[in-house]
Amino acid sequence: MSTFDPAEFLPDDLLERIRERAPIHDRENTFPAQDLDELRAAGYLSILVPTARGGAGLGLAEAAILQQRLAGAAPATALAVNMHLVWTGVAKVFSDRGVPGLEFVQDGAVAGEVFAFGISEGGNDLVLFGSDTAAVPDGDDGYAFTGTKIFTSLAPVWTRLGLHGLDTTSPDAPQLVFAFIERTDAVTTSDDWDTLGMRGTQSRTTRLNGAVADAAHVVRRIAPGPSPDPIVFGIFSVFEILLASVYTGIARRALELAVTTAQKRHSKKTGLAYSQDPDIRWRIADMAIAYDALPPQIAALARDVDERVDHGARWFPQLSGVKHRAITMAKHVVDEAMLVAGGGSYFSANELSRLYRDVLAGAFHPSDPESAHSTAASAWLGPLES
């Protein structure tokens, strides 16, 4: 959109209210329900839904900018909302490419439903390409899911959980089944989210005991393993780009705080502001150089998804690479910001202290460093010899 204005979708006053609540949710280990309510009222949950279905009609490129902006105010809120936006983004990937099946996600988002992301499983390094959750046919073209999902952000509030499981009993088994379930008695959410950072996401463990997805909400059945199927590309592309956006937003905020601190602090030795100290200036310049590389990379990849550019097999190293670079950059920038700010940043009440803890979560999201490097190595060197 040529006239896209981020403040239209995330006004400054809304961001300031969200920013004010962020340390409270971090300290009290609570979900930012008021943030979600205000974002829902502002239409934020449907930014990726086409205008023809009642949404804002934004592209992934615009959503990435907005998520950077939201993360600068409250990283945990942005990361939690990210998981809902992943599913609306996948629905956009489907509709843009003429693939049916996720219209109910778009309509639900417009109606105020909250979609959570139920893919991660403890010890499952196959991630999208396999599952330890059993998906058993129910005889009516639906499936009953039994298993345990971890890192289920939005745990206290989701209305539908998008997930996958493995069908090992059908004639064409094994098949990975991607579907959506509602919150019923067959779903148990543990109150176990007590972490170092990103506490407001409330990404609790979810246990499924025969949770049923009816036929209308079974989206895809595909063979396990890497696949060009739209469900795999949709999830991988939207997840990696929006995740990179959140951590890039954290880096931007840390850089802003470092600049503000350097301008306010004065040296007892020289009487000058720290912004005039050559070492501090070099450190902030180093932060800025690292940060400046990421927004255009994210924008370019997001635009390519929106415009249906065909990168073929190069898509996966590019997507995992931008996520990895964003996490590495953000951790570096926050580390440097702590040094610029000095000992005061070590106190829990300091915003940089919270950003320091929040940014560490990036290492635990797919693609992890090992996967990103393996993907890049295969792209440039070919697969490992058997």
Side-chain angles (χ1 to χ4, degrees), residues 16 45 81 114 127 240 358:
E16 283 309 308
L45 299 187
V81 172
V114 178
V127 195
E240 298 292 76
D358 283 348

Side-chain angles (χ1 to χ4, degrees), residues 244-314:
S245 299
V246 167
Y247 287 91
T248 297
I250 293 174
R252 171 65 183 239
R253 179 59 178 169
L255 177 56
E256 291 172 348
L257 291 171
V259 169
T260 299
T261 302
Q263 291 171 337
K264 288 183 176 179
R265 293 181 70 196
H266 286 73
S267 168
K268 293 290 186 182
K269 185 185 301 183
T270 66
L272 297 174
Y274 273 40
S275 60
Q276 302 305 304
D277 183 301
D279 293 330
I280 295 294
R281 293 176 68 85
W282 185 93
R283 198 177 293 280
I284 288 178
D286 186 61
M287 295 162 63
I289 291 168
Y291 163 77
D292 280 343
L294 264 297
Q297 292 180 44
I298 293 169
L301 280 177
R303 188 166 53 250
D304 282 357
V305 174
D306 288 333
E307 296 177 359
R308 301 184 288 285
V309 174
D310 183 9
H311 288 298
R314 290 289 301 161

Side-chain angles (χ1 to χ4, degrees), residues 162-177:
L163 76 170
H164 73 340
L166 189 64
D167 175 1
T168 61
T169 61
S170 294
D172 61 348
Q175 290 284 298
L176 276 176
V177 182

Side-chain angles (χ1 to χ4, degrees), residues 86-129:
V86 166
W87 284 124
T88 60
V90 175
K92 175 176 168 53
V93 167
F94 271 42
S95 62
D96 285 351
R97 288 157 179 78
V99 180
L102 285 175
E103 293 82 3
F104 70 89
V105 170
Q106 296 175 328
D107 295 340
V110 171
E113 287 206 65
V114 178
F115 293 87
F117 193 71
I119 299 295
S120 295
E121 299 167 340
N124 178 17
D125 58 356
L126 292 171
V127 195
L128 276 179
F129 303 147

Side-chain angles (χ1 to χ4, degrees), residues 5-73:
D5 177 9
E8 178 183 349
F9 300 92
L10 282 176
D12 291 341
D13 59 339
L14 172 57
L15 283 178
E16 283 309 308
R17 291 193 297 274
I18 289 174
R19 189 190 308 281
E20 289 173 3
R21 292 190 287 259
I24 299 171
H25 293 297
D26 174 71
R27 183 174 61 251
E28 298 179 357
N29 194 26
T30 52
F31 181 79
Q34 193 171 353
D35 293 0
L36 184 65
D37 288 344
E38 290 201 56
L39 289 168
R40 182 193 281 113
Y44 198 76
L45 299 187
S46 57
I47 55 173
L48 286 168
V49 177
T51 54
R53 301 195 82 92
L58 298 185
L60 186 58
E62 288 81 25
I65 293 171
L66 290 172
Q67 282 297 91
Q68 291 172 51
R69 184 169 163 84
L70 181 57

